[in-house]
Amino acid sequence: MDKISVLAITKNGINIGQNLKEIFPEWTIFAPSKLSNQNDSITWYSEPTSEKIVELFKNNDALICLFSLGAVIRLIAPQLKDKKTDPAVIVIDDKINFVISVLSGHIGGANELTEKIAEKLKAQPVITTAADVNKTIAVDLVGRDFGWKIEDDSNVTRISAHMVNEEPIGIFQDAGERNWYKQLPKNVSKYNTIEELKNSKSKANLIISDKIIEDDLTSESVIYRPPSLVIGIGLHWDTSKETIKEGINDCLKKFKLSSKSIAKLVSIKKPEDVQGLIDVGKEMEIPVECIEREDLAKVTAPNPSDTVKAFEGTSSVSEAAAILVSNGKLIVEKQKFPPNLTIAIARIEN
Protein backbone atom coordinates (compact mmCIF):
# COMPACT_ATOMS: atom_id res chain seq x y z
CA MET A 1 0.00 0.00 0.00
CA ASP A 2 1.35 3.39 -0.99
CA LYS A 3 -0.84 5.69 1.06
CA ILE A 4 -2.13 4.99 4.57
CA SER A 5 -3.80 7.54 6.86
CA VAL A 6 -4.84 7.36 10.51
CA LEU A 7 -7.83 9.29 11.86
CA ALA A 8 -8.05 10.03 15.62
CA ILE A 9 -10.85 12.03 17.24
CA THR A 10 -10.17 11.55 20.98
CA LYS A 11 -7.21 12.33 23.23
CA ASN A 12 -6.51 8.63 23.72
CA GLY A 13 -6.81 8.17 19.96
CA ILE A 14 -4.24 10.90 19.38
CA ASN A 15 -1.82 9.14 21.74
CA ILE A 16 -2.36 5.90 19.81
CA GLY A 17 -1.82 7.80 16.56
CA GLN A 18 1.49 9.19 17.82
CA ASN A 19 2.53 5.65 18.74
CA LEU A 20 1.59 4.39 15.28
CA LYS A 21 3.57 7.25 13.70
CA GLU A 22 6.68 6.10 15.55
CA ILE A 23 6.19 2.53 14.37
CA PHE A 24 5.10 3.43 10.82
CA PRO A 25 6.71 6.83 10.09
CA GLU A 26 5.42 6.91 6.51
CA TRP A 27 1.79 7.02 7.69
CA THR A 28 -0.08 10.33 8.07
CA ILE A 29 -1.97 11.00 11.30
CA PHE A 30 -5.02 13.31 11.29
CA ALA A 31 -6.82 14.76 14.32
CA PRO A 32 -9.20 17.70 15.03
CA SER A 33 -7.43 21.02 15.63
CA LYS A 34 -9.56 21.60 18.76
CA LEU A 35 -7.56 18.78 20.41
CA SER A 36 -4.18 20.04 19.20
CA ASN A 37 -1.19 19.39 21.44
CA GLN A 38 1.16 21.19 19.03
CA ASN A 39 2.72 17.90 17.89
CA ASP A 40 4.16 18.54 14.43
CA SER A 41 3.93 14.85 13.50
CA ILE A 42 0.13 15.14 13.40
CA THR A 43 -1.90 16.92 10.72
CA TRP A 44 -4.54 18.98 12.54
CA TYR A 45 -7.78 19.64 10.64
CA SER A 46 -10.52 22.17 11.29
CA GLU A 47 -13.39 20.82 9.14
CA PRO A 48 -16.02 18.45 10.57
CA THR A 49 -14.82 14.87 10.97
CA SER A 50 -17.75 13.72 8.80
CA GLU A 51 -16.18 15.65 5.91
CA LYS A 52 -12.58 14.69 6.69
CA ILE A 53 -13.28 10.98 6.74
CA VAL A 54 -14.85 11.17 3.26
CA GLU A 55 -11.72 12.90 1.92
CA LEU A 56 -9.44 10.31 3.52
CA PHE A 57 -11.61 7.41 2.35
CA LYS A 58 -11.38 8.60 -1.25
CA ASN A 59 -7.66 9.40 -1.26
CA ASN A 60 -6.00 6.52 0.58
CA ASP A 61 -5.21 2.86 0.07
CA ALA A 62 -5.99 2.24 3.73
CA LEU A 63 -7.72 4.22 6.46
CA ILE A 64 -7.20 3.41 10.13
CA CYS A 65 -9.83 4.87 12.45
CA LEU A 66 -9.13 5.25 16.17
CA PHE A 67 -12.71 5.42 17.39
CA SER A 68 -15.80 3.23 17.64
CA LEU A 69 -16.73 0.73 14.94
CA GLY A 70 -20.34 1.92 14.84
CA ALA A 71 -19.35 5.53 14.25
CA VAL A 72 -16.95 4.52 11.50
CA ILE A 73 -19.62 2.47 9.72
CA ARG A 74 -22.13 5.31 9.83
CA LEU A 75 -19.59 7.80 8.47
CA ILE A 76 -18.24 5.69 5.58
CA ALA A 77 -21.45 3.90 4.56
CA PRO A 78 -22.50 6.47 1.91
CA GLN A 79 -19.06 6.15 0.26
CA LEU A 80 -19.00 2.36 -0.22
CA LYS A 81 -18.78 1.12 -3.82
CA ASP A 82 -17.23 -2.34 -4.19
CA LYS A 83 -14.38 -4.45 -2.83
CA LYS A 84 -12.21 -3.81 -5.89
CA THR A 85 -12.11 -0.04 -5.38
CA ASP A 86 -12.89 0.66 -1.70
CA PRO A 87 -9.82 1.21 0.48
CA ALA A 88 -8.93 -1.02 3.40
CA VAL A 89 -10.60 0.23 6.58
CA ILE A 90 -9.40 -0.76 10.04
CA VAL A 91 -10.72 0.25 13.46
CA ILE A 92 -8.70 0.34 16.70
CA ASP A 93 -10.54 0.86 19.97
CA ASP A 94 -9.62 3.58 22.48
CA LYS A 95 -7.78 1.17 24.80
CA ILE A 96 -5.94 -0.77 22.07
CA ASN A 97 -7.70 -4.00 22.97
CA PHE A 98 -8.70 -4.87 19.40
CA VAL A 99 -7.55 -4.14 15.85
CA ILE A 100 -10.56 -4.82 13.62
CA SER A 101 -10.51 -5.46 9.87
CA VAL A 102 -13.69 -3.71 8.70
CA LEU A 103 -13.58 -3.33 4.92
CA SER A 104 -11.69 -4.73 1.90
CA GLY A 105 -10.13 -7.50 3.94
CA HIS A 106 -8.77 -9.57 1.08
CA ILE A 107 -8.31 -7.54 -2.10
CA GLY A 108 -7.79 -4.27 -0.21
CA GLY A 109 -5.33 -5.84 2.20
CA ALA A 110 -7.12 -4.92 5.45
CA ASN A 111 -6.71 -8.39 6.95
CA GLU A 112 -2.97 -8.50 6.40
CA LEU A 113 -2.54 -4.95 7.71
CA THR A 114 -4.70 -5.74 10.75
CA GLU A 115 -2.41 -8.63 11.68
CA LYS A 116 0.64 -6.41 11.25
CA ILE A 117 -0.72 -3.58 13.42
CA ALA A 118 -2.00 -5.94 16.13
CA GLU A 119 1.39 -7.57 16.41
CA LYS A 120 3.14 -4.21 16.84
CA LEU A 121 0.58 -2.91 19.37
CA LYS A 122 0.25 -6.27 21.16
CA ALA A 123 -3.50 -6.17 20.57
CA GLN A 124 -6.02 -8.80 19.45
CA PRO A 125 -6.60 -8.87 15.67
CA VAL A 126 -10.26 -9.30 14.70
CA ILE A 127 -10.79 -10.82 11.24
CA THR A 128 -14.14 -12.24 10.22
CA THR A 129 -13.76 -13.25 6.56
CA ALA A 130 -14.71 -16.91 6.22
CA ALA A 131 -11.60 -18.04 4.33
CA ASP A 132 -9.32 -16.70 7.06
CA VAL A 133 -11.42 -18.00 9.94
CA ASN A 134 -11.62 -21.47 8.37
CA LYS A 135 -7.94 -21.44 7.31
CA THR A 136 -8.81 -22.28 3.74
CA ILE A 137 -8.01 -20.83 0.29
CA ALA A 138 -9.09 -17.23 -0.28
CA VAL A 139 -10.33 -17.61 -3.85
CA ASP A 140 -9.99 -13.92 -4.67
CA LEU A 141 -6.33 -13.84 -3.54
CA VAL A 142 -4.92 -16.87 -5.33
CA GLY A 143 -1.71 -15.88 -7.13
CA ARG A 144 -2.01 -12.19 -6.32
CA ASP A 145 1.60 -12.05 -5.10
CA PHE A 146 2.70 -13.48 -8.47
CA GLY A 147 0.72 -11.04 -10.60
CA TRP A 148 -2.04 -13.47 -11.60
CA LYS A 149 -5.23 -11.98 -13.02
CA ILE A 150 -8.72 -13.41 -12.67
CA GLU A 151 -10.33 -13.95 -16.06
CA ASP A 152 -13.87 -13.18 -14.87
CA ASP A 153 -14.58 -12.40 -11.22
CA SER A 154 -18.32 -13.01 -11.47
CA ASN A 155 -17.86 -16.55 -10.12
CA VAL A 156 -15.58 -15.63 -7.21
CA THR A 157 -18.26 -15.22 -4.52
CA ARG A 158 -20.06 -18.44 -5.44
CA ILE A 159 -16.86 -20.51 -5.66
CA SER A 160 -15.67 -18.99 -2.37
CA ALA A 161 -18.86 -20.22 -0.71
CA HIS A 162 -18.17 -23.76 -1.96
CA MET A 163 -14.61 -23.47 -0.62
CA VAL A 164 -15.50 -22.35 2.93
CA ASN A 165 -18.34 -24.90 3.08
CA GLU A 166 -15.70 -27.58 2.44
CA GLU A 167 -17.37 -28.91 -0.69
CA PRO A 168 -15.19 -30.77 -3.24
CA ILE A 169 -13.01 -28.33 -5.19
CA GLY A 170 -10.81 -29.32 -8.14
CA ILE A 171 -7.63 -27.60 -9.33
CA PHE A 172 -5.99 -27.76 -12.73
CA GLN A 173 -2.76 -25.87 -13.38
CA ASP A 174 -0.49 -25.84 -16.43
CA ALA A 175 1.23 -22.45 -16.09
CA GLY A 176 2.51 -20.04 -13.44
CA GLU A 177 4.18 -20.46 -10.06
CA ARG A 178 3.58 -23.87 -8.52
CA ASN A 179 4.23 -22.94 -4.89
CA TRP A 180 1.22 -20.67 -4.43
CA TYR A 181 -0.17 -22.81 -1.61
CA LYS A 182 1.87 -24.82 0.91
CA GLN A 183 -0.80 -27.34 1.87
CA LEU A 184 -4.16 -27.73 0.20
CA PRO A 185 -7.29 -28.11 2.35
CA LYS A 186 -8.72 -31.62 2.57
CA ASN A 187 -11.64 -30.75 0.28
CA VAL A 188 -9.33 -29.59 -2.55
CA SER A 189 -7.81 -31.99 -5.12
CA LYS A 190 -5.41 -31.45 -8.01
CA TYR A 191 -5.95 -32.95 -11.48
CA ASN A 192 -3.38 -33.37 -14.23
CA THR A 193 -5.66 -32.62 -17.19
CA ILE A 194 -8.79 -30.63 -17.93
CA GLU A 195 -10.49 -33.89 -18.87
CA GLU A 196 -9.73 -35.37 -15.43
CA LEU A 197 -11.05 -32.22 -13.80
CA LYS A 198 -14.21 -32.37 -15.90
CA ASN A 199 -14.83 -35.99 -14.93
CA SER A 200 -14.21 -35.42 -11.24
CA LYS A 201 -16.94 -34.91 -8.68
CA SER A 202 -15.80 -31.38 -7.93
CA LYS A 203 -18.50 -28.91 -7.00
CA ALA A 204 -16.34 -26.05 -8.31
CA ASN A 205 -12.89 -25.52 -9.81
CA LEU A 206 -9.81 -23.34 -9.80
CA ILE A 207 -8.07 -23.29 -13.19
CA ILE A 208 -4.61 -21.73 -13.52
CA SER A 209 -3.68 -21.51 -17.19
CA ASP A 210 -2.68 -19.21 -20.04
CA LYS A 211 -4.85 -21.22 -22.43
CA ILE A 212 -8.38 -20.37 -23.51
CA ILE A 213 -10.67 -22.98 -21.93
CA GLU A 214 -13.59 -23.67 -24.24
CA ASP A 215 -15.75 -25.88 -22.10
CA ASP A 216 -18.90 -25.76 -19.96
CA LEU A 217 -16.50 -26.33 -17.07
CA THR A 218 -15.76 -22.60 -16.96
CA SER A 219 -19.22 -21.77 -15.61
CA GLU A 220 -18.26 -23.51 -12.36
CA SER A 221 -14.69 -22.23 -12.26
CA VAL A 222 -12.51 -19.30 -11.37
CA ILE A 223 -9.81 -19.01 -14.03
CA TYR A 224 -6.50 -17.38 -13.12
CA ARG A 225 -4.13 -15.96 -15.75
CA PRO A 226 -0.47 -16.04 -14.70
CA PRO A 227 1.95 -13.75 -16.61
CA SER A 228 3.56 -16.69 -18.42
CA LEU A 229 3.74 -15.67 -22.09
CA VAL A 230 6.54 -13.74 -23.79
CA ILE A 231 5.64 -12.39 -27.22
CA GLY A 232 8.61 -12.14 -29.59
CA ILE A 233 8.16 -9.57 -32.38
CA GLY A 234 10.14 -9.11 -35.57
CA LEU A 235 9.31 -5.82 -37.26
CA HIS A 236 10.44 -2.88 -39.35
CA TRP A 237 11.16 0.59 -37.98
CA ASP A 238 7.83 1.82 -39.36
CA THR A 239 5.57 -1.13 -38.44
CA SER A 240 2.42 0.44 -37.03
CA LYS A 241 0.77 -0.10 -33.68
CA GLU A 242 -2.35 -1.41 -35.42
CA THR A 243 -0.35 -3.98 -37.41
CA ILE A 244 1.50 -5.24 -34.33
CA LYS A 245 -1.63 -5.48 -32.21
CA GLU A 246 -3.56 -7.26 -34.96
CA GLY A 247 -0.72 -9.77 -35.37
CA ILE A 248 -0.60 -10.48 -31.64
CA ASN A 249 -4.36 -10.92 -31.42
CA ASP A 250 -4.43 -13.21 -34.46
CA CYS A 251 -1.77 -15.45 -32.92
CA LEU A 252 -3.49 -15.57 -29.54
CA LYS A 253 -6.80 -16.47 -31.16
CA LYS A 254 -5.28 -19.09 -33.48
CA PHE A 255 -3.38 -20.86 -30.69
CA LYS A 256 -6.07 -20.29 -28.03
CA LEU A 257 -3.95 -18.27 -25.60
CA SER A 258 -5.09 -15.53 -23.23
CA SER A 259 -3.97 -11.93 -23.64
CA LYS A 260 -4.19 -11.58 -19.84
CA SER A 261 -1.18 -13.90 -19.55
CA ILE A 262 1.21 -11.78 -21.63
CA ALA A 263 4.19 -10.95 -19.41
CA LYS A 264 6.30 -8.99 -21.91
CA LEU A 265 6.68 -7.91 -25.53
CA VAL A 266 10.23 -8.39 -26.83
CA SER A 267 12.08 -7.49 -30.01
CA ILE A 268 15.47 -6.48 -31.38
CA LYS A 269 17.13 -3.24 -30.32
CA LYS A 270 17.21 -0.89 -33.30
CA PRO A 271 19.11 2.41 -33.71
CA GLU A 272 15.87 4.18 -32.81
CA ASP A 273 12.87 2.93 -30.85
CA VAL A 274 10.02 1.57 -32.96
CA GLN A 275 7.14 3.86 -32.06
CA GLY A 276 4.50 1.32 -33.02
CA LEU A 277 5.92 -1.18 -30.52
CA ILE A 278 6.13 1.41 -27.75
CA ASP A 279 2.52 2.42 -28.40
CA VAL A 280 1.28 -1.19 -28.29
CA GLY A 281 3.00 -1.73 -24.97
CA LYS A 282 1.41 1.39 -23.49
CA GLU A 283 -2.05 0.58 -24.82
CA MET A 284 -1.95 -3.03 -23.62
CA GLU A 285 -0.14 -2.06 -20.39
CA ILE A 286 2.55 -4.65 -21.05
CA PRO A 287 6.33 -4.07 -20.59
CA VAL A 288 8.46 -3.87 -23.75
CA GLU A 289 12.06 -5.08 -23.87
CA CYS A 290 14.51 -4.76 -26.78
CA ILE A 291 17.49 -7.12 -27.04
CA GLU A 292 20.90 -6.48 -28.62
CA ARG A 293 21.36 -8.30 -31.93
CA GLU A 294 24.54 -9.94 -30.65
CA ASP A 295 22.59 -11.64 -27.87
CA LEU A 296 19.85 -12.78 -30.23
CA ALA A 297 22.45 -14.24 -32.60
CA LYS A 298 23.56 -16.65 -29.86
CA VAL A 299 20.09 -18.23 -29.59
CA THR A 300 19.24 -21.35 -31.59
CA ALA A 301 15.81 -20.82 -33.12
CA PRO A 302 13.80 -23.38 -35.14
CA ASN A 303 13.18 -21.10 -38.13
CA PRO A 304 16.29 -19.00 -38.92
CA SER A 305 16.23 -16.71 -41.95
CA ASP A 306 19.12 -15.60 -44.17
CA THR A 307 17.08 -12.57 -45.21
CA VAL A 308 16.60 -11.51 -41.59
CA LYS A 309 20.30 -12.04 -40.94
CA ALA A 310 21.21 -9.80 -43.86
CA PHE A 311 19.05 -6.96 -42.52
CA GLU A 312 19.31 -7.41 -38.75
CA GLY A 313 22.64 -9.13 -38.17
CA THR A 314 20.94 -12.14 -36.61
CA SER A 315 19.02 -14.95 -38.30
CA SER A 316 16.12 -14.82 -35.85
CA VAL A 317 14.33 -12.01 -34.07
CA SER A 318 10.84 -13.03 -32.92
CA GLU A 319 11.69 -16.63 -31.98
CA ALA A 320 15.11 -15.83 -30.53
CA ALA A 321 13.80 -12.92 -28.47
CA ALA A 322 10.90 -14.96 -27.06
CA ILE A 323 13.16 -17.90 -26.16
CA LEU A 324 15.88 -15.73 -24.63
CA VAL A 325 13.68 -13.53 -22.45
CA SER A 326 11.31 -16.28 -21.31
CA ASN A 327 14.14 -18.69 -20.57
CA GLY A 328 11.48 -21.22 -21.42
CA LYS A 329 9.90 -23.13 -24.28
CA LEU A 330 8.72 -21.82 -27.64
CA ILE A 331 5.05 -22.73 -27.94
CA VAL A 332 4.21 -20.74 -31.08
CA GLU A 333 6.82 -20.79 -33.82
CA LYS A 334 7.29 -17.78 -36.06
CA GLN A 335 4.07 -16.57 -37.65
CA LYS A 336 4.51 -14.29 -40.67
CA PHE A 337 2.42 -11.20 -41.36
CA PRO A 338 3.88 -9.80 -44.59
CA PRO A 339 5.43 -7.47 -45.32
CA ASN A 340 6.79 -6.25 -41.97
CA LEU A 341 5.85 -8.39 -38.98
CA THR A 342 6.58 -11.78 -37.41
CA ILE A 343 5.27 -13.07 -34.09
CA ALA A 344 6.47 -15.96 -31.90
CA ILE A 345 5.41 -16.92 -28.38
CA ALA A 346 7.33 -18.67 -25.60
CA ARG A 347 6.12 -19.81 -22.19
CA ILE A 348 8.04 -18.98 -19.03
CA GLU A 349 8.86 -22.18 -17.19
CA ASN A 350 8.37 -22.23 -13.39
Side-chain angles (χ1 to χ4, degrees):
M1 296 182 187
D2 295 327
K3 195 172 181 183
I4 298 176
S5 288
V6 178
L7 180 59
I9 62 171
T10 66
K11 289 183 178 180
N12 276 347
I14 290 170
N15 292 333
I16 298 168
Q18 291 174 176
N19 189 12
L20 287 171
K21 183 69 173 178
E22 292 177 5
I23 301 170
F24 305 100
E26 68 278 13
W27 294 3
T28 305
I29 317 299
F30 293 88
S33 56
K34 65 183 181 181
L35 299 177
S36 176
N37 60 13
Q38 307 303 314
N39 188 321
D40 292 339
S41 69
I42 293 177
T43 300
W44 305 99
Y45 63 88
S46 58
E47 62 265 50
T49 294
S50 58
E51 294 179 9
K52 194 65 184 179
I53 198 170
V54 171
E55 174 196 327
L56 298 177
F57 186 90
K58 291 180 178 178
N59 296 315
N60 284 274
D61 299 312
L63 175 59
I64 300 160
C65 298
L66 308 180
F67 50 100
S68 78
L69 176 60
V72 172
I73 291 173
R74 283 193 295 272
L75 288 168
I76 67 172
Q79 311 306 318
L80 302 183
K81 294 181 180 177
D82 60 68
K83 64 182 181 180
K84 292 183 287 186
T85 56
D86 290 337
V89 176
I90 293 168
V91 167
I92 303 175
D93 69 273
D94 217 37
K95 294 298 183 180
I96 325 179
N97 292 314
F98 303 103
V99 182
I100 308 168
S101 175
V102 178
L103 188 68
S104 297
H106 281 161
I107 294 178
N111 291 354
E112 184 178 353
L113 187 57
T114 292
E115 296 275 10
K116 186 177 181 181
I117 295 170
E119 181 182 359
K120 294 292 185 182
L121 297 180
K122 300 188 183 327
Q124 176 67 46
V126 178
I127 295 171
T128 59
T129 44
D132 295 275
V133 172
N134 291 288
K135 304 297 183 184
T136 191
I137 295 173
V139 172
D140 53 351
L141 292 188
V142 170
R144 185 178 70 167
D145 292 342
F146 304 119
W148 296 4
K149 299 175 182 177
I150 293 178
E151 179 75 19
D152 178 1
D153 61 7
S154 63
N155 285 345
V156 168
T157 300
R158 184 159 48 86
I159 305 305
S160 295
H162 291 314
M163 184 70 75
V164 299
N165 287 327
E166 298 186 341
E167 297 179 80
I169 305 292
I171 293 178
F172 169 74
Q173 179 175 9
D174 64 359
E177 297 284 342
R178 304 288 171 159
N179 60 340
W180 58 273
Y181 204 85
K182 292 180 181 178
Q183 184 175 357
L184 294 174
K186 60 184 180 181
N187 63 308
V188 178
S189 302
K190 283 187 174 181
Y191 297 93
N192 294 321
T193 67
I194 285 289
E195 196 62 29
E196 287 181 14
L197 182 66
K198 186 176 180 180
N199 293 330
S200 72
K201 295 181 180 179
S202 300
K203 188 78 172 181
N205 313 291
L206 308 182
I207 298 174
I208 305 154
S209 179
D210 53 28
K211 299 174 183 175
I212 301 298
I213 311 296
E214 296 178 335
D215 198 290
D216 292 341
L217 197 68
T218 59
S219 64
E220 298 299 328
S221 305
V222 176
I223 301 176
Y224 304 90
R225 299 302 189 188
S228 54
L229 302 177
V230 175
I231 310 290
I233 302 171
L235 73 179
H236 294 180
W237 67 270
D238 60 348
T239 306
S240 69
K241 177 190 76 173
E242 291 74 21
T243 298
I244 298 169
K245 191 174 179 182
E246 185 177 345
I248 292 172
N249 289 336
D250 282 353
C251 284
L252 294 174
K253 183 177 180 180
K254 180 178 179 181
F255 293 94
K256 297 182 178 180
L257 297 168
S258 173
S259 62
K260 292 182 183 292
S261 283
I262 302 175
K264 190 173 287 188
L265 307 178
V266 295
S267 189
I268 190 170
K269 188 173 182 62
K270 292 181 179 290
E272 294 185 12
D273 292 338
V274 178
Q275 192 60 46
L277 182 57
I278 294 172
D279 292 343
V280 168
K282 288 180 180 178
E283 183 175 313
M284 298 182 73
E285 298 182 341
I286 297 170
V288 174
E289 182 177 350
C290 294
I291 314 298
E292 297 288 350
R293 67 188 71 249
E294 293 82 3
D295 294 324
L296 294 178
K298 298 174 185 176
V299 179
T300 301
N303 298 288
S305 166
D306 291 335
T307 302
V308 172
K309 186 172 184 178
F311 280 95
E312 301 287 12
T314 175
S315 59
S316 176
V317 172
S318 58
E319 290 181 339
I323 293 169
L324 181 64
V325 173
S326 69
N327 194 30
K329 181 180 179 182
L330 197 68
I331 59 172
V332 175
E333 295 188 4
K334 179 171 64 178
Q335 304 293 301
K336 298 180 181 180
F337 299 89
N340 58 4
L341 181 70
T342 60
I343 301 286
I345 304 176
R347 178 177 288 122
I348 298 169
E349 298 292 336
N350 291 292

